[in-house]
C-alpha cells in the first residue's frame, strides 16, 4: 500500500481493472457524488473486448446541453433500449468465455431492472462485483465536493478512457490474462472488470493484486 490509506475516485460503470486495484490497495475509498457530470468518462461508459478490438458501451443519460448537474442526481435515459443492447453485446462477446455461464445470472439483472439514477446503478454494480470477488472494500460516499480527510489521494480524474486525459499511475501495471479474442487482438489492458470476471472467474482478484506495482 502507498503511504496514503485513502483515495478519492469518481463513480464508474462496470469499472476497469485499474479502478479495482485501488479498492484492494487502500483502506478507505471515497466515491465522489457531488461533482458535475463530465462527458466521455468511465462514469457512464465501460470498455470490453470485441471481435474487432476495444468496444465501448455507453449508458445514456438525460442532461440538458449546457446544464450542470451533480452526478448523484443524473438520471439514466431509456429513449433507446440500451440494457437489451448491452446484454446482447456482452453475450456475443463473452458467451464462449470460461466463466460467463457461471456469472451471467449475477450480472444479467443489471440489464433487466430499470434504474432511475446513474450513481445508484453504478454503486449497486460495484457492490455486487466486490461481493462476487470477495473484495472487502470500505466504500464511502463524499458528503460534499471533494470533502474528504487530509491525506486522501484525489484520483477522481486520473482513470480515464481517454489516454491524453488519464494521469500516470505508477502503481498500476496491468497483468496480462487470456481474453476471448487474444489470438486476434493480442492482450487488451485495463478493460471493464466484466472482461476479467468472465475470463478469469475466481482468479480475478489475483490478477488485480498482481497488477499493483509494489516496488
Amino acid at each position: 500500500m502507498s503511504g496514503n490509506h485513502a483515495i478519492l475516485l469518481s463513480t464508474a460503470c462496470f469499472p476497469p481493472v485499474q479502478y479495482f486495484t485501488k479498492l484492494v490497495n487502500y483502506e478507505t475509498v471515497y466515491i465522489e457524488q457531488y461533482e458535475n457530470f463530465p462527458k466521455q468518462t468511465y462514469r457512464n461508459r465501460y470498455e470490453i473486448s470485441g471481435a474487432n478490438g476495444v468496444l465501448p458501451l455507453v449508458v445514456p443519460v438525460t442532461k440538458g446541453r449546457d446544464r450542470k448537474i451533480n452526478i448523484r442526481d443524473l438520471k439514466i435515459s431509456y429513449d433507446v433500449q440500451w440494457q437489451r443492447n448491452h446484454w446482447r453485446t456482452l453475450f456475443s462477446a463473452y458467451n464462449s468465455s470460461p466463466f460467463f455461464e457461471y456469472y451471467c445470472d449475477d450480472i444479467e439483472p443489471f440489464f433487466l431492472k430499470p434504474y432511475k439514477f446513474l450513481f445508484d446503478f453504478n454503486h449497486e454494480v460495484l457492490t455486487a462485483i466486490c461481493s462476487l470477488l470477495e473484495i472487502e472494500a470500505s466504500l464511502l460516499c463524499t458528503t460534499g465536493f471533494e470533502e474528504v480527510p487530509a491525506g486522501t489521494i484525489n484520483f477522481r480524474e486520473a482513470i480515464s478512457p481517454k489516454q491524453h486525459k488519464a494521469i500516470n499511475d505508477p502503481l498500476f501495471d496491468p497483468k496480462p490474462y487470456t481474453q476471448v479474442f487474444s489470438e486476434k487482438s493480442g492482450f487488451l489492458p485495463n478493460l471493464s472488470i466484466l472482461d476479467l470476471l468472465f475470463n478469469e472467474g475466481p482468479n480475478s482478484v489475483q490478477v488485480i493484486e498482481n497488477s499493483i506495482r509494489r516496488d
Side-chain angles (χ1 to χ4, degrees):
M1 181 179 292
S2 67
N4 300 81
H5 300 301
I7 191 168
L8 171 64
L9 300 175
S10 69
T11 183
C13 182
F14 293 106
V17 174
Q18 182 185 9
Y19 194 101
F20 278 84
T21 63
K22 306 312 173 191
L23 301 190
V24 302
N25 200 37
Y26 289 86
E27 292 179 358
T28 303
V29 177
Y30 291 93
I31 308 295
E32 178 64 70
Q33 65 171 336
Y34 288 96
E35 64 176 355
N36 289 329
F37 171 69
K39 298 178 180 179
Q40 298 183 335
T41 69
Y42 286 128
R43 290 160 181 82
N44 70 319
R45 73 167 51 201
Y46 55 106
E47 296 178 337
I48 67 170
S49 173
N52 296 314
V54 176
L55 179 62
L57 295 174
V58 178
V59 176
V61 296
T62 60
K63 182 174 180 286
R65 178 165 296 181
D66 298 314
R67 181 166 160 252
K68 294 182 179 180
I69 186 170
N70 282 348
I71 191 76
R72 65 172 183 158
D73 298 321
L74 188 65
K75 295 179 181 179
I76 296 175
S77 172
Y78 292 91
D79 290 342
V80 297
Q81 294 182 314
W82 68 268
Q83 287 177 301
R84 182 194 66 178
N85 296 338
H86 282 208
W87 185 248
R88 287 180 175 179
T89 301
L90 289 168
F91 185 88
S92 177
Y94 295 108
N95 186 41
S96 63
S97 64
F99 293 95
F100 180 81
E101 186 174 348
Y102 185 82
Y103 289 109
C104 66
D105 287 344
D106 296 298
I107 301 301
E108 187 178 15
F110 292 109
F111 299 94
L112 297 174
K113 172 185 173 181
Y115 287 81
K116 184 176 182 180
F117 296 104
L118 176 69
F119 190 88
D120 294 340
F121 174 75
N122 288 353
H123 200 73
E124 285 197 27
V125 165
L126 188 62
T127 301
I129 293 180
C130 283
S131 178
L132 289 175
L133 296 179
E134 298 182 354
I135 294 175
E136 297 180 359
S138 176
L139 302 174
L140 300 174
C141 296
T142 56
T143 56
F145 186 65
E146 293 187 348
E147 289 184 7
V148 293
T152 298
I153 297 174
N154 187 344
F155 226 65
R156 189 165 48 88
E157 302 295 340
I159 303 176
S160 173
K162 304 297 182 183
Q163 291 303 312
H164 66 283
K165 291 186 177 181
I167 296 175
N168 179 53
D169 183 0
L171 297 181
F172 179 59
D173 183 18
K175 177 72 173 179
Y177 56 90
T178 302
Q179 297 169 321
V180 175
F181 302 105
S182 290
E183 291 187 4
K184 181 178 180 181
S185 304
F187 175 64
L188 301 175
N190 207 27
L191 296 181
S192 166
I193 191 64
L194 291 177
D195 185 82
L196 178 59
L197 186 70
F198 291 147
N199 283 299
E200 290 289 337
N203 191 49
S204 297
V205 175
Q206 189 62 55
V207 175
I208 292 169
E209 290 179 345
N210 289 343
S211 298
I212 300 171
R213 184 179 288 127
R214 302 185 185 279
D215 52 5

